[in-house]
Amino acid sequence: LMMGTRCGSVDPSLVGFAVESLDKSVDQVMDDFNKRSGLKGMVDEDKNDGTLMGGKYDMRTLLQAQHDHPHAKLAVEMFVYRLAQHIASMMIALRGGTLDALVFTAGIGEHSAEIRQRTIDALRPIFPHLELDPERNRTDGAQSNGILTKDYDDDYSRGPVVLDIPTDEEAMIAQECLRLMEQAEQKKQEQ
């Protein structure tokens, strides 16, 4: 998925093409893919008219600027399209099974009602009856335990429940580090 500075999925042959056509090293191309692509690459002021949003490229800024700046509008549209595309492609893994929940998380997923709504709208061909409750979506599910979908009286034939679940990536990383340290200490004691 395209991110703030990372390009997301690309054809691997693009690296070789970029090295040859741009006269850059592989490391320089990889640096471009990781630090100067994604949303930033779509609206980078060096590439465009020199005034676009003062070099800011986070989703909040892009959403505010999308009506005045075509590059910001395109970046938001591409992000939503790619997100919906990734969600739809993951449906294949269910092999005809039912998707119980669709979870939005992390910075954009947790805090952008517009991106969530636009993504659900883009998924309409797969979930024609799925609807977000506008108030729940606006408040990030704060008063509904993270549930963003309308109440369907337990009729889940309309599609999955849509949730907004906060993440704490730093805590998860710390827990994993602690687990690995304890595992290493245990192996040491066994020797």
Side-chain angles (χ1 to χ4, degrees):
L1 184 62
M2 177 174 49
M3 300 173 86
T5 61
R6 292 179 21 208
C7 60
S9 301
V10 295
D11 187 310
S13 64
L14 185 58
V15 176
F17 176 79
V19 166
E20 286 182 24
S21 64
L22 300 174
D23 195 30
K24 290 185 173 190
S25 70
V26 171
D27 287 342
Q28 289 171 316
V29 171
M30 294 307 294
D31 195 57
D32 286 347
F33 283 177
N34 286 303
K35 296 180 182 171
R36 285 181 282 289
S37 296
L39 297 174
K40 180 179 183 177
M42 295 291 300
V43 298
D44 189 354
E45 56 188 321
D46 291 335
K47 286 179 25 181
N48 300 314
D49 65 5
T51 61
L52 188 57
M53 298 173 294
K56 294 181 182 175
Y57 50 86
D58 73 13
M59 188 56 72
R60 291 168 296 201
T61 305
L62 294 176
L63 288 169
Q64 289 172 352
Q66 67 182 328
H67 303 292
D68 300 321
H69 297 285
H71 290 101
K73 180 180 183 201
L74 180 61
V76 171
E77 288 172 352
M78 285 181 62
F79 181 86
V80 169
Y81 175 80
R82 294 292 290 156
L83 177 57
Q85 187 179 43
H86 278 273
I87 293 167
S89 71
M90 287 186 263
M91 298 291 294
I92 300 301
L94 296 176
R95 299 177 186 247
T98 303
L99 179 66
D100 297 319
L102 179 57
V103 180
F104 287 91
T105 191
I108 297 170
E110 282 179 53
H111 303 293
S112 181
E114 182 175 344
I115 294 297
R116 290 190 299 261
Q117 183 61 63
R118 289 171 70 167
T119 302
I120 296 302
D121 291 345
L123 291 168
R124 195 77 57 218
I126 298 170
F127 302 114
H129 306 292
L130 184 61
E131 293 182 58
L132 296 183
D133 179 280
E135 182 62 16
R136 289 178 175 182
N137 191 36
R138 186 186 67 73
T139 61
D140 303 329
Q143 304 302 315
S144 57
N145 292 319
I147 298 172
L148 303 176
T149 37
K150 290 184 174 183
D151 285 327
Y152 299 130
D153 299 323
D154 296 328
D155 175 15
Y156 293 102
S157 65
R158 293 179 173 265
V161 62
V162 179
L163 302 168
D164 181 334
I165 299 181
T167 56
D168 189 347
E169 295 170 359
E170 290 83 6
M172 293 303 295
I173 292 168
Q175 287 175 356
E176 183 64 12
C177 288
L178 184 59
R179 185 190 68 78
L180 291 172
M181 288 172 47
E182 289 171 350
Q183 189 178 37
E185 184 63 31
Q186 186 179 21
K187 283 184 181 181
K188 225 190 239 185
Q189 290 175 1
E190 291 173 359
Q191 293 176 352

